[in-house]
Amino acid sequence: MQEPTDCIFCAIVAGRAPAAIVYRDEHVTAFLDLFPVVPGHLLIVPNRHAKGLTELDADAAARMVAVAQRLAAAVRRSPMPCEGINLFMAEGPVAGQTVFHCHLHVLPRHGSDGFHLGGSFLERLNPGRDDLDTLAASLRSALAALE
Ligand code: AMP
Ligand code: ZN
């Protein structure tokens, strides 16, 4: 896909916008989030523009996860407090995506960071085995229909 001229993450990858870059290679770039939810909040983006996970090519997706692993290890070795890590990715406004260049959030966590995975994530549905089996069958069909 051609790089959109108004994409802030494309501008960061191209060096046209400022960012605190932590890592870059030919496939991905990682930098500190400008408005972090916890100290050390990182974003990993593919260098080639893709709107979200569905559009991302599989090699770039694999690279993003591999770099998240490396960054997690680096954060744990660094002086900043880190007792755990959350990864997060949103695709689409309904899921909370606000920048439409795919990105993986890496959140270093520690006991008193004040960040809460609250609300809906902790309030679970209870669909029952039959509903789960029906949904799994439908998703297996959709998977089989992919090229
Ligand atoms: P999301 O809501 O998942 O789309 O996340 C977008 C993230 O991009 C948010 O955490 C923002 O704080 C972050 N962000 C937006 N603009 C910039 C920027 N210029 N540099 C670094 N991070 C940014
Ligand atoms: Zn972009």
Side-chain angles (χ1 to χ4, degrees), residues 4 7 9-10 49 101:
C7 174
F9 289 174
C10 279
H49 184 89
H101 179 134

Side-chain angles (χ1 to χ4, degrees), residues 136-147:
S138 146
L139 291 172
R140 283 195 299 272
S141 301
L143 259 182
L146 290 177
E147 291 171 328

Side-chain angles (χ1 to χ4, degrees), residues 126-137:
N126 186 11
R129 183 59 58 195
D130 285 351
D131 281 3
L132 292 177
D133 288 344
T134 303
L135 182 54

Side-chain angles (χ1 to χ4, degrees), residues 33-119:
D33 196 295
L34 191 56
F35 307 105
V37 298
V38 289
H41 180 169
L42 289 153
L43 299 173
I44 305 170
V45 307
N47 291 344
R48 182 189 295 192
H49 184 89
K51 208 157 63 173
L53 180 66
T54 312
E55 270 189 11
L56 191 62
D57 80 70
D59 287 346
R63 190 73 197 136
M64 285 167 75
V65 173
V67 169
Q69 267 191 313
R70 296 274 297 162
L71 288 175
V75 167
R76 283 180 176 281
R77 288 183 69 133
S78 80
M80 65 174 297
C82 178
E83 296 159 9
I85 307 275
N86 282 119
L87 299 183
F88 178 74
M89 181 183 280
E91 177 174 280
V94 75
Q97 188 177 13
T98 59
V99 175
F100 297 94
H101 179 134
C102 186
H103 49 279
L104 183 59
H105 297 259
V106 180
L107 307 180
R109 300 296 312 279
H110 67 88
S112 52
D113 60 22
F115 182 78
H116 298 290
L117 275 178

Side-chain angles (χ1 to χ4, degrees), residues 3 7-19 21 24 29 47:
E3 172 185 321
C7 174
I8 182 62
F9 289 174
C10 279
I12 287 173
V13 167
R16 287 186 278 103
I21 306 258
R24 75 187 329 152
T29 300
N47 291 344

